[in-house]
Amino acid sequence: QVQLVESGGGLVQPGGSLTLSCAASGSISSIVIMGWYRQAPGKQREWVAVITSRGTTTYVDSVKGRFAISRDDAKNTVYLQMNALKPEDTAVYYCNTAPRYYLPWGQGTQVTVSS
């Protein structure tokens, strides 16, 4: 099955930007919907953004206007561009299929927003 590896996280100040990458070990062209999820300390994992094979995107209200999800099936990679980051965005970010996840979770990538 496809293995997913997230990268690109780090420490940024409020208002800063990061771009996350989700690299798949195999083709994602057959996956209709890919998404980004995040899990903050002491909280449940939540859906953040999804993108269909057609390119249609949907976002959770808290990140609308700030985050942008994209996919490059030729590179088997999904991206999450994050702008105007807030402390409440601090979490471990994961990618997987959506709206239900069918692949094992990767290790995720830590995003910390702090001054």
Side-chain angles (χ1 to χ4, degrees):
Q1 62 182 348
V2 174
Q3 181 181 5
L4 304 171
V5 179
E6 302 90 348
S7 63
L11 173 64
V12 297
Q13 295 189 335
S17 299
L18 283 174
T19 299
L20 308 183
S21 297
C22 171
S25 62
S27 176
I28 62 170
S29 62
S30 63
I31 301 177
V32 177
I33 307 177
M34 288 293 299
W36 282 95
Y37 304 77
R38 67 186 180 187
Q39 185 169 22
K43 300 183 67 176
Q44 297 294 313
R45 180 180 285 118
E46 67 173 346
W47 162 82
V48 176
V50 300
I51 184 168
T52 71
S53 58
R54 187 176 178 179
T56 301
T57 59
T58 307
Y59 303 90
V60 69
D61 286 345
S62 60
V63 309
K64 287 181 179 177
R66 300 189 298 118
F67 290 11
I69 186 173
S70 61
R71 62 192 289 174
D72 187 342
D73 288 5
K75 295 183 178 294
N76 298 321
T77 303
V78 183
Y79 304 94
L80 184 67
Q81 182 181 350
M82 305 185 295
N83 301 315
L85 284 162
K86 304 175 180 179
E88 51 262 45
D89 295 319
T90 295
V92 178
Y93 285 71
Y94 304 86
C95 62
N96 213 311
T97 57
R100 295 181 180 273
Y101 62 87
Y102 295 104
L103 301 175
W105 296 107
Q107 293 183 321
T109 184
Q110 176 71 52
V111 172
T112 302
V113 184
S114 179
S115 59

